[in-house]
Amino acid sequence: MSILRSLASRDRVFDFLVPVESPVDVRHGPILYLEDVTVSFDGFKAINDLNLTIDDGELRCIIGPNGAGKTTMMDIITGKTRPDSGQVWFGSRHDLLTMNEPEIASLGIGRKFQKPTVFEALTVFENLELAMAADKRILPTLTARINGEIRDRIDEILEIIGLKPLHARPAGILSHGQKQWLEIGMLLMQRPRLLLVDEPVAGMTEQEMERTAELLTGLAGKQSVVVVEHDMGFVRSIARKVTVLHQGSVLAEGSMDQVSSDPRVIEVYLGAEAEEETL
Ligand SMILES: Nc1ncnc2c1ncn2[C@@H]1O[C@H](COP(=O)(O)OP(=O)(O)O)[C@@H](O)[C@H]1O
Ligand SMILES: [Mg+2]
């Protein structure tokens, strides 16, 4: 019995009455819109009047020194943290500040945390199958036809993440990089419109980084992708538009060449992270 069927046969695993969310509306504007967003922790403004616009299908890199607010920004978009003020919209229809984390996820916002969280004892294929089970849109009828569609979808994802030859192997045998790709694949199973990826290449080999660059640039266009990353070589290799965060606000925005020659950006990086890699 497939993982999906055995799960479906259990009680209370799925809520069959969840309505299909209305699709994101990007006809007249961006897919993600943050306006004047501020959040304080004990009086300290981790995010301070942040304005950010991501276009549909865009690949955006977010860089900035430690403590700039990058992770907090993702927490706000995904509903984990509520801002004190400001606006956060997904397309023109969905006010994310009125929604909780599961509701925001079900709109099609997928988040990849830094550490891979695949199920090591399950095969690569089963991990992808299980990821599909979280998509409530496919659950009302687990028919043979739907199962065929799921298999096709898994095949398609295996191709995208380059793990087809390993589909029947337990995820536990994968390298660190391969686990990261599998987890991206698990997010893709749910056909996200917006993918948020936090430091995808930390701990990867050069070769894995190159493959990850291909993977992420290949995803752009089909979905919007926001990548937070410290590795400047990697950012340079995938970057179209780059946003530099500093003290919870946008310090600079533009091409990698534009932002890396901006004196304010150079100062922030040299000042805050002189011991780390610079632009
Ligand atoms: N839950 C929290 N409580 C208190 N301070 C926090 C919390 N989350 C983040 N911060 C602080 O907010 C600032 C921004 O953190 P973060 O968003 O993690 O930065 P980045 O991801 O850019 O390194 C840091 O000074 C951090 O210590
Ligand atoms: Mg962070």
Side-chain angles (χ1 to χ4, degrees):
M1 199 190 311
S2 76
I3 293 275
L4 198 57
R5 279 188 174 278
S6 56
L7 267 181
S9 64
R10 281 194 218 149
D11 290 341
R12 297 178 50 80
V13 175
F14 302 130
D15 180 0
F16 289 86
L17 298 175
V18 171
V20 173
E21 294 288 351
S22 54
V24 56
D25 185 354
V26 292
R27 286 172 301 173
H28 310 293
I31 191 156
L32 183 69
Y33 177 78
L34 277 71
E35 185 183 300
D36 295 340
V37 174
T38 296
V39 66
S40 304
F41 298 116
D42 304 324
F44 170 76
K45 286 185 176 173
I47 295 290
N48 189 4
D49 263 336
L50 176 64
N51 291 280
L52 186 76
T53 302
I54 307 290
D55 287 329
D56 192 27
E58 186 180 350
L59 171 63
R60 176 73 60 89
C61 291
I62 312 267
I63 61 174
N66 282 330
K70 304 183 295 297
T71 298
T72 306
M73 179 199 75
M74 288 199 176
D75 290 344
I76 289 171
I77 296 165
T78 55
K80 190 172 176 217
T81 297
R82 283 279 166 232
D84 303 326
S85 57
Q87 298 199 41
V88 183
W89 287 81
F90 189 51
S92 57
R93 193 175 293 157
H94 297 102
D95 178 353
L96 297 186
L97 299 186
T98 65
M99 306 175 81
N100 63 27
E101 274 187 278
E103 287 168 343
I104 292 172
S106 75
L107 279 179
I109 298 184
R111 180 178 191 177
K112 164 85 186 72
F113 288 92
Q114 196 176 328
K115 202 165 164 282
T117 51
V118 300
F119 297 98
E120 307 236 328
L122 300 181
T123 66
V124 168
F125 187 96
E126 287 168 338
N127 268 278
L128 293 171
E129 197 179 21
L130 197 57
M132 191 61 146
D135 186 344
K136 296 188 174 59
R137 285 167 298 193
I138 60 133
L139 287 174
T141 47
L142 278 170
T143 62
R145 182 182 64 81
I146 297 280
N147 276 335
E149 279 174 22
I150 291 172
R151 204 161 305 121
D152 289 349
R153 179 74 183 147
I154 292 176
D155 270 350
E156 192 187 324
I157 302 286
L158 283 168
E159 203 75 68
I160 293 170
I161 61 178
L163 295 182
K164 201 157 208 166
L166 296 171
H167 77 274
R169 306 298 306 279
I173 64 126
L174 299 179
S175 73
H176 172 71
Q178 288 169 332
K179 282 179 190 166
Q180 298 283 38
W181 303 333
L182 175 56
E183 202 182 357
I184 291 173
M186 290 166 74
L187 289 171
L188 292 176
M189 284 301 292
Q190 301 187 41
R191 301 184 189 277
R193 288 298 300 270
L194 171 65
L195 211 53
L196 307 172
V197 192
D198 206 349
E199 300 197 33
V201 300
M204 280 191 185
T205 64
E206 276 303 317
Q207 233 178 0
E208 287 176 333
M209 278 169 61
E210 273 172 37
R211 178 69 196 100
T212 305
E214 281 170 21
L215 173 55
L216 292 176
T217 51
L219 293 180
K222 296 182 212 79
Q223 44 261 304
S224 311
V225 184
V226 174
V227 181
V228 163
E229 185 51 64
H230 276 300
D231 189 292
M232 289 307 152
F234 180 75
V235 171
R236 196 172 280 281
S237 75
I238 66 167
R240 280 93 167 117
K241 192 169 177 183
V242 180
T243 299
V244 184
L245 279 196
H246 178 53
Q247 296 177 349
S249 307
V250 174
L251 180 69
E253 206 161 71
S255 69
M256 189 67 185
D257 284 340
Q258 281 169 337
V259 301
S260 58
S261 60
D262 185 319
R264 292 167 307 166
V265 175
I266 293 168
E267 191 186 320
V268 159
Y269 265 89
L270 292 180
E273 301 202 321
E275 75 283 10
E276 287 190 33
E277 193 174 5
T278 61
L279 292 171

